[in-house]
């Protein structure tokens, strides 16, 4: 359900509803990270692979594919819909519990935002140099 190019640009990383994150080179799958639930989003940070699943968890994996940390990220165990990198800070998530959350690089929730009345489907930075300029869209038919 999402794609990300590795930091060294040699590997394509995909997430899917078959509960996997896969690493691809030259059209061939070279590694699979198995999850318990469908994977909605995947990111490459400075030293980790970050995946978000339909059961409300964020998984931090080392680049070699060993699980680093599993985070119960959603207040109501609802799906984490999307992830984005927050430069020089960490990453952000949005989810079915109507929240947007900022996380540090170790997976600690630093701030939660609630402005939507329904599922938040996607988030992005308006200005890649300013993490306070974030936009979101929701099932409540708003973008804020």
């Amino acid at each position: 359900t999402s794609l990300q190019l590795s930091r060294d640009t040699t590997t394509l990383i995909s997430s899917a509803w078959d509960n996997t994150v896969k690493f691809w080179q030259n059209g061939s799958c070279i590694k699979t990270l198995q999850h318990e639930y469908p994977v909605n989003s995947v990111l490459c940070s400075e030293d980790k692979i970050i995946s978000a699943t339909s059961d409300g968890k964020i998984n931090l994996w080392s680049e070699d594919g060993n699980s680093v940390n599993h985070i119960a990220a959603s207040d109501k165990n609802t799906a984490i819909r999307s992830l984005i990198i927050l430069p020089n800070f960490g990453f952000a998530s949005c989810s079915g519990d109507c929240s947007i959350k900022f996380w540090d690089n170790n997976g600690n929730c630093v701030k939660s935002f609630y402005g939507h009345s329904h599922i938040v489907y996607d988030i992005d930075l308006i200005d890649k140099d300013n993490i306070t300029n974030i936009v979101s869209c929701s099932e409540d038919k708003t973008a804020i």
Side-chain angles (χ1 to χ4, degrees):
T1 55
S2 73
L3 293 171
Q4 181 85 160
L5 194 59
S6 65
R7 290 183 307 129
D8 65 7
T9 69
T10 64
T11 306
L12 185 63
I13 304 168
S14 65
S15 67
W17 282 58
D18 66 356
N19 304 358
T20 63
V21 168
K22 293 184 178 181
F23 296 73
W24 303 87
Q25 286 183 345
N26 302 317
S28 297
C29 181
I30 60 167
K31 182 183 290 193
T32 300
L33 302 178
Q34 192 65 45
H35 294 67
E36 291 183 36
Y37 291 87
V39 184
N40 295 323
S41 188
V42 67
L43 283 180
C44 296
S45 73
E46 292 179 15
D47 61 347
K48 294 176 195 58
I49 305 299
I50 306 167
S51 59
T53 58
S54 291
D55 66 338
K57 290 189 175 67
I58 293 174
N59 304 285
L60 306 178
W61 304 83
S62 60
E63 287 183 308
D64 62 7
N66 295 319
S67 183
V68 175
N69 194 5
H70 301 281
I71 305 164
S74 170
D75 293 341
K76 300 175 185 172
N77 293 329
T78 59
I80 305 300
R81 299 293 179 167
S82 186
L83 299 168
I84 59 168
I85 293 291
L86 299 175
N88 303 312
F89 183 83
F91 62 97
S93 66
C94 64
S95 72
D97 68 1
C98 308
S99 73
I100 296 168
K101 294 183 179 178
F102 283 16
W103 305 86
D104 67 20
N105 282 320
N106 296 316
N108 299 304
C109 184
V110 177
K111 181 79 174 166
S112 296
F113 302 92
Y114 295 90
H116 289 287
S117 60
H118 288 80
I119 297 166
V120 184
Y121 284 109
D122 206 4
I123 51 178
D124 204 356
L125 290 174
I126 295 171
D127 177 353
K128 302 295 184 197
D129 295 323
N130 184 349
I131 65 170
T132 62
N133 289 329
I134 195 166
V135 65
S136 58
C137 62
S138 167
E139 192 171 275
D140 64 13
K141 300 178 184 172
T142 64
I144 54 176

